[in-house]
Amino acid sequence: MSVLRPLDKLPDLNGATVLLVSTEDALLQQLAESMIKDDCASELRVHLANSLPLPSNVNRPRIDLIVFVINLHSKYSLQKVEESLNHVDSSFFMGKVCFLATGGGKLSSSHGTAPGSRAADLRWPCARFLLPEPAVLAAEPPEPQPKEQ
């Protein structure tokens, strides 16, 4: 078990390898299939993992991008991602790591309580409830005081 480093191996010509990391197996499989479906000139390989570190005895290609998928309604999902980050070299975070948040639609209690007390408010449709009022109310200018002479 080792730390993933971005320059451990030479890049493949006209190819890229994406590593999807999440506890949601069905979601990862669906995301991987949709990524591979797109027709492009380069070869895209997608690998799936529930967490890091990856076994060091496996002969794997160079990983060009790591996508951490976080379910907003699962403390376990967030906890696994936090633990996995310890096994990624800091230089990977220069454009080779991204975070994908899911679960903003419906609230599910199958994996425990949500990470925050207002996790259901993080979903995009709630943005329509924002009021058009300014964040800071404009104060009326004070009335001029008569000058004493």
Side-chain angles (χ1 to χ4, degrees):
M1 310 263 188
S2 62
V3 173
L4 287 176
R5 300 186 197 295
L7 301 175
D8 277 350
K9 299 182 179 192
L10 293 174
D12 293 337
L13 185 61
N14 292 329
T17 302
V18 177
L19 176 65
L20 301 176
V21 181
S22 176
T23 58
E24 309 287 327
D25 292 333
L27 176 67
L28 282 188
Q29 189 66 35
Q30 185 180 16
L31 181 59
E33 288 172 1
S34 66
M35 291 171 70
I36 292 173
K37 262 194 240 179
D38 287 341
D39 191 29
C40 64
S42 301
E43 178 188 358
L44 178 65
R45 291 175 299 279
V46 180
H47 292 263
L48 310 177
N50 287 332
S51 64
L52 296 179
L54 296 174
S56 58
N57 59 355
V58 176
N59 185 14
R60 64 177 171 268
R62 169 184 156 151
I63 296 173
D64 298 301
L65 176 68
I66 302 174
V67 179
F68 291 101
V69 182
I70 304 168
N71 183 348
L72 293 177
H73 300 295
S74 171
K75 281 185 179 179
Y76 179 71
S77 174
L78 182 62
Q79 184 180 35
K80 277 305 206 183
V81 167
E82 288 174 342
E83 292 170 4
S84 295
L85 290 176
N86 293 325
H87 302 284
V88 178
D89 187 62
S90 61
S91 59
F92 237 112
F93 291 95
M94 299 288 290
K96 295 185 176 285
V97 171
C98 71
F99 297 89
L100 175 63
T102 66
K106 58 181 186 258
L107 184 60
S108 169
S109 61
S110 62
H111 297 290
T113 59
S117 61
R118 300 195 26 107
D121 291 338
L122 294 176
R123 55 189 171 169
W124 180 249
C126 287
R128 69 176 181 265
F129 297 116
L130 295 177
L131 299 175
E133 299 173 6
V136 178
L137 297 175
E140 292 183 22
E143 293 183 24
Q145 298 291 331
K147 292 185 181 180
E148 294 181 22
Q149 293 182 358

